[in-house]
Amino acid sequence: MRFGVLGTGTVGRALATKLVDVGHDVCMGSRRAGNDKAVAWAAAAGERASQGTFADAAAFGDVLFNCTSGAASLDALTAAGEEHLAGKVLVDVANPLDFSHGMPPTLSPCNTDSLGEAIQRAFPATRVVKALNTINADVMVDPSSLPGDHVVFVCGDDDGAKRDATSVLGELGWPPGRVVDLGDISAARGTEMYLMLWLRVMRSLGTPHFNVALAR
Amino acid sequence: MRFGVLGTGTVGRALATKLVDVGHDVCMGSRRAGNDKAVAWAAAAGERASQGTFADAAAFGDVLFNCTSGAASLDALTAAGEEHLAGKVLVDVANPLDFSHGMPPTLSPCNTDSLGEAIQRAFPATRVVKALNTINADVMVDPSSLPGDHVVFVCGDDDGAKRDATSVLGELGWPPGRVVDLGDISAARGTEMYLMLWLRVMRSLGTPHFNVALAR
């Protein structure tokens, strides 16, 4: 399968590398083709890896991952082009963290809206699935590095898109029983607002290498 | 030990009952002495149980629990009287859920502030510990009803108060290893904002009888 990964940061590189490792073709997109990190990633990742603009990556992929920073996501997706996003599953991994007022970051939007919803509104023909934004990049692509049945949350308005996303999550190492469907895309408020707790747990544990399991 | 439990709802009654059951004296406070639910609770809970105004309960307790609804908490604590709160550990269990715009609720305050912080600011001589607000009332007082090492978060500015709260949590069934200290009271933003995820998980699982464990 062909994937477009938008974003060249830690999350984008981790997901793109894993997708290549399990046998897929991946194009990493950034603001400009030839981005240093994307070029280095593509060179290291082998012949199934390529890089280009956001539009190149979006046009290439059957399934897309938004791994841009939350504050830049709507601009990045606009640059990717509505025509390249239409009809496709877009897994939105971004968190709308606002560092402009210093540390700790706040969320924007928050409480009465979410980035996931904003993306779905801006691109109504795109099948947005919010997922993986509650998990450190290392754990995203190697869930068995942590013990127990810790979980990944998904939400979105399109049930077929959530099934497709769940299948891709399976290839990343998440069995279906550990994928928790929270319903429509408005649940992105919940998974994004959880970041404020995640950041404090990270500080308390002294590591981002953790995740939550559900005792029930 | 003597406890004051402010609030007569499900959370207040569950905590007050458990505290009596483990051998403490508990006064349940509400807006007016003689509140029907408080009277019924005190009659059922036995001779260690009493009821009265918020001020009565606050004056009675060495350790206080704020189990009022989040929107009413500052008024309830004001009615309890600063002089009855000063120097005491106040475990703030409330969540500032705002139902005035319909369902789902939003949080107020949120993102750049929290109820826990607002209470600590309003009553600077009180030793506020935010705790238990991430957990259903049944699970709060019977953590072994769920499998695994699921956790309770605490935060607050006073380390001694957090030690006292951790000791009380131990009597409720939470061993120290499952009490996660998130630091100062500003971490209440994290545990309160988590409610938006909690509400969606509850809807997905079809039960409020769950909690999170940390895989690490």
Side-chain angles (χ1 to χ4, degrees):
Chain A
M1 207 151 107
R2 291 152 66 105
F3 286 87
V5 171
L6 310 185
T8 63
T10 307
V11 171
R13 296 200 307 274
L15 284 171
T17 299
K18 176 79 176 195
L19 290 166
V20 167
D21 285 351
V22 298
H24 297 296
D25 297 309
V26 180
C27 181
M28 179 178 285
S30 53
R31 202 175 305 270
R32 292 176 206 80
N35 170 290
D36 286 349
K37 285 195 281 189
V39 168
W41 170 79
E47 60 182 17
R48 291 188 176 280
S50 60
Q51 60 81 32
T53 62
F54 287 133
D56 293 334
F60 180 85
D62 303 310
V63 171
L64 310 177
F65 279 87
N66 174 36
C67 305
T68 62
S69 72
S73 290
L74 285 168
D75 284 349
L77 291 166
T78 300
E82 195 169 357
E83 69 278 21
H84 297 135
L85 303 174
K88 293 182 180 173
V89 174
L90 173 70
V91 182
D92 175 29
V93 187
N95 281 303
L97 295 174
D98 177 359
F99 293 92
S100 66
H101 307 287
M103 290 295 285
T106 54
L107 290 171
S108 177
C110 181
N111 202 17
T112 56
D113 195 12
S114 62
L115 179 61
E117 289 166 277
I119 290 173
Q120 184 61 86
R121 278 198 307 276
F123 302 95
T126 302
R127 304 157 70 208
V128 178
V129 178
K130 190 93 201 184
L132 290 169
N133 64 304
T134 59
I135 303 169
N136 173 260
D138 295 336
V139 178
M140 274 183 206
V141 298
D142 188 13
S144 65
S145 64
L146 292 177
D149 288 342
H150 55 98
V151 298
V152 56
F153 300 106
V154 299
C155 65
D157 293 343
D158 184 315
D159 286 337
K162 286 192 282 194
R163 279 193 296 274
D164 291 348
T166 299
S167 170
V168 173
L169 288 169
E171 297 197 69
L172 301 180
W174 298 93
R178 283 163 60 187
V179 180
V180 179
D181 184 350
L182 297 177
D184 67 85
I185 192 66
S186 71
R189 293 178 204 182
T191 62
E192 294 175 12
M193 289 167 76
Y194 161 73
L195 254 284
M196 300 299 267
L197 177 58
W198 188 93
L199 289 165
R200 295 301 293 241
V201 173
M202 177 183 72
R203 207 164 101 177
S204 173
L205 299 181
T207 173
H209 203 75
F210 71 90
N211 192 17
V212 291
L214 295 177
R216 45 179 145 164
Chain B
M1 208 151 108
R2 290 151 67 103
F3 287 86
V5 172
L6 310 185
T8 63
T10 307
V11 171
R13 295 198 308 271
L15 284 170
T17 299
K18 176 79 175 194
L19 290 165
V20 167
D21 285 351
V22 299
H24 298 296
D25 298 307
V26 179
C27 182
M28 179 179 285
S30 53
R31 202 176 306 271
R32 290 176 207 82
N35 170 291
D36 286 348
K37 285 195 281 189
V39 169
W41 169 79
E47 59 182 17
R48 290 189 177 280
S50 59
Q51 60 81 32
T53 62
F54 287 133
D56 293 333
F60 180 85
D62 304 309
V63 171
L64 310 177
F65 280 88
N66 173 35
C67 305
T68 62
S69 73
S73 290
L74 284 167
D75 284 349
L77 291 166
T78 300
E82 193 168 0
E83 70 278 20
H84 297 136
L85 303 173
K88 294 183 180 172
V89 173
L90 173 70
V91 182
D92 174 30
V93 187
N95 281 302
L97 295 173
D98 178 359
F99 293 92
S100 67
H101 306 290
M103 290 292 288
T106 54
L107 290 171
S108 177
C110 181
N111 201 17
T112 56
D113 196 12
S114 62
L115 178 61
E117 290 166 278
I119 290 173
Q120 184 61 86
R121 278 198 307 275
F123 302 96
T126 302
R127 304 156 71 208
V128 178
V129 178
K130 190 93 199 183
L132 291 169
N133 64 306
T134 59
I135 302 170
N136 173 261
D138 295 335
V139 179
M140 275 181 204
V141 298
D142 188 14
S144 66
S145 64
L146 292 176
D149 288 341
H150 55 98
V151 298
V152 56
F153 299 106
V154 299
C155 65
D157 293 344
D158 183 315
D159 287 337
K162 286 191 282 193
R163 279 193 297 275
D164 291 347
T166 299
S167 170
V168 173
L169 288 168
E171 297 197 70
L172 301 181
W174 298 94
R178 284 163 59 187
V179 180
V180 179
D181 184 350
L182 297 177
D184 67 85
I185 191 65
S186 71
R189 294 177 204 183
T191 63
E192 294 175 12
M193 289 168 77
Y194 160 74
L195 255 284
M196 300 299 266
L197 177 59
W198 189 93
L199 289 165
R200 295 301 293 240
V201 172
M202 177 184 70
R203 207 164 100 176
S204 173
L205 299 182
T207 174
H209 203 74
F210 70 90
N211 192 19
V212 291
L214 295 176
R216 45 180 145 164

